[in-house]
Amino acid sequence: MLLNNIGPILFLDALALVSGVLAVWLTVRKNIACWPLGIVSVSLQGFRFFQNKLYADALLQLLYVCLGAYGWMRWYKGTTQTPLHNFFKHRTRALALAGMLWPLLYSLLICFNGARPIMDSGLTAFSIVATLFAVQKNAFNWLLWTGIDAVYVVLFLKQALWPYAALYGFYTILALWGFYTWTRQKTV
């Protein structure tokens, strides 16, 4: 029975990995195709995270689908200034928002018996903020993603999600490249 399920799971994981890497690479290049590819990747990842009781991360992937559509629309219209633009000009406010979301998400994960609730909720909270910085094409998103992705590697290793640990290790490198590229272009 287990062997019958390995093929489809490996295919979904591979598709999530490939589309995810391409999406981040295209984001670094500020190519609008990053958004639909990202939506494919996070949809598949959300399914896998739910299977592994990483409920906050599964919910985060659903939120990423919505934020992906929002980012796609913003970049398509050529407007990256969002209603939150002034709020996000002050990075400490944005980080405080993540700090407030963290215990709320943690409480939810405890109720639903989620795996690794402290890490899962914290990473989810900071990922939301990093994505909102990315929608605005603010280079600070890449610094956040560097730290977030590095911690995700640890989480996925603990959950034996090896392909995702590798993916997020690569995301960490891409985030550093993204920060370098975007700051060199003076897009802060």
Side-chain angles (χ1 to χ4, degrees):
M1 182 74 174
L2 178 64
L3 291 177
N4 291 340
N5 292 331
I6 289 179
I9 293 300
L10 288 178
F11 175 75
L12 290 178
D13 287 340
L15 187 56
L17 271 76
V18 170
S19 58
V21 167
L22 285 173
V24 175
W25 181 74
L26 289 170
T27 305
V28 170
R29 303 190 45 86
K30 295 183 183 174
N31 184 315
I32 196 169
C34 67
W35 296 108
L37 271 173
I39 290 170
V40 168
S41 180
V42 299
S43 297
L44 295 170
Q45 290 179 50
F47 172 72
R48 292 291 283 133
F49 297 158
F50 185 80
Q51 286 183 321
N52 284 273
K53 293 188 172 189
L54 293 171
Y55 298 127
D57 285 310
L59 184 61
L60 178 62
Q61 303 314 303
L62 182 60
L63 178 62
Y64 282 158
V65 169
C66 298
L67 288 173
Y70 180 67
W72 193 358
M73 177 193 70
R74 285 286 183 182
W75 284 26
Y76 179 77
K77 290 183 176 180
T79 59
T80 56
Q81 298 238 344
T82 68
L84 294 173
H85 181 74
N86 287 333
F87 181 82
F88 276 84
K89 282 196 323 192
H90 305 283
R91 293 176 184 155
T92 47
R93 285 187 201 161
L95 295 176
L97 173 64
M100 289 186 288
L101 287 173
W102 191 342
L104 295 172
L105 291 168
Y106 175 78
S107 299
L108 286 172
L109 291 180
I110 294 299
C111 292
F112 289 104
N113 196 29
R116 315 265 183 223
I118 293 174
M119 287 179 79
D120 197 12
S121 58
L123 289 167
T124 299
F126 282 93
S127 294
I128 292 167
V129 170
T131 302
L132 291 171
F133 274 112
V135 167
Q136 297 176 71
K137 292 187 179 178
N138 185 314
F140 185 63
N141 90 86
W142 295 113
L143 289 179
L144 290 173
W145 283 123
T146 299
I148 291 165
D149 291 339
V151 178
Y152 264 123
V153 170
V154 175
L155 175 65
F156 295 142
L157 288 173
K158 288 177 180 264
Q159 289 301 113
L161 290 166
W162 316 118
Y164 293 96
L167 175 65
Y168 280 73
F170 192 63
Y171 281 172
T172 303
I173 294 165
L174 285 175
L176 289 168
W177 178 47
F179 182 72
Y180 171 76
T181 302
W182 282 27
T183 54
R184 233 182 53 178
Q185 296 170 349
K186 296 181 181 18
T187 305
V188 180

